[in-house]
Amino acid sequence: MKKWIFLVLTSITLLTSCKTPQDIAYLQDVSTQQSIQTPSDGYIRFQPGDKLSIFVHSRDEQLRDLFNISGRNGGSYNMQGGGQNYAPYTVDSNGEIDFPVLGSIKIEGLTRDQVAKTIKEQLISNSLCKDPIVNVAFYDMSFSVLGNAGTGVKQISKDRITLFEAIAMASDLQIDGLRKNVLVMRQEGDKQVPYRVDLTSSQSVYNSPVYYIRQNDVIYVEPNNKYKRNSTVMGSSAYQPTFWMSLASFLTTMALIFIK
């Protein structure tokens, strides 16, 4: 009888100790020194509703004041090196911004560098400024992370952000976050389009349209099955260590009764 009790307790201990999380490693199919082709583009491109700040540098102070709109009553952005706040521009429904003197400029689908180049070329071609240096910065553009990860709204401050970088900005996935079915919701025109990514597979990650994150993307990490099973009304299930510990205590008590 004592031997039987020992075997029961040993089995329960093994069951509780061996229940470790599965599939938590990223890119499990990548071997050492393996080269992976990454998408060639992925730059953040301006869309209607986006905001950006533009600062024109010039030796002529009057021209500089003419092309740079100072921020008033908040809602302004301090351009690095500008020395003062400048109001952001909003891309309208036609994909345009209204720039001083130049008027409407189409910037939808352009990157930061392309917007800066477009404005510089127009300033020179219209003989408005001989030596302009144009800086463009993102203003209040972001993506969101939800679920079993470090959640929150994350600001976009660089031209390209990969899905892994976005997750790192959110402090990584929690240990119980499902790596194999990460959902990215993307606004495309007037529709929300869902994309699924398996972070354990390099093919799924690097071939995905959402390998590079865009503004307003929503990344959702759902909990794995172990976490779901553990989330019961009573706070206990057959998959939790507490259940097995309670069972072990009960069996031990019953065994001692029978021994007596």
Side-chain angles (χ1 to χ4, degrees), residues 166-222:
I167 291 171
M169 289 170 67
S171 301
D172 202 2
L173 273 63
Q174 296 173 5
I175 197 69
D176 48 24
L178 188 61
R179 270 76 169 154
K180 288 194 170 186
N181 197 28
V182 174
L183 173 65
V184 180
M185 297 296 297
R186 173 165 291 174
Q187 188 73 33
E188 297 183 359
D190 58 352
K191 297 180 180 179
Q192 277 274 323
V193 181
Y195 294 92
R196 298 277 182 176
V197 184
D198 179 357
L199 298 182
T200 69
S201 166
S202 60
Q203 292 258 340
S204 177
V205 172
Y206 293 102
N207 292 331
S208 173
V210 294
Y211 173 70
Y212 287 111
I213 294 299
R214 294 181 188 171
Q215 61 270 47
N216 305 317
D217 279 356
V218 178
I219 303 169
Y220 171 64
V221 180
E222 65 177 292

Side-chain angles (χ1 to χ4, degrees), residues 28-39:
Q28 296 179 19
D29 57 343
V30 175
S31 59
T32 304
Q33 297 181 341
Q34 176 184 350
S35 297
I36 300 175
Q37 184 67 43
T38 58

Side-chain angles (χ1 to χ4, degrees), residues 45-64:
R45 298 176 183 276
F46 290 105
Q47 304 171 357
D50 287 345
K51 292 184 179 181
L52 64 156
S53 290
I54 302 171
F55 181 75
V56 178
H57 299 262
S58 174
R59 296 176 184 174
D60 189 325
E61 291 186 6
Q62 290 185 337
L63 287 176
R64 188 171 60 207

Side-chain angles (χ1 to χ4, degrees), residues 129-147:
C129 189
K130 295 181 180 179
D131 58 347
I133 298 175
V134 182
N135 284 348
V136 177
F138 297 127
Y139 180 93
D140 199 27
M141 289 171 56
S142 61
F143 62 90
S144 303
V145 183
L146 303 172

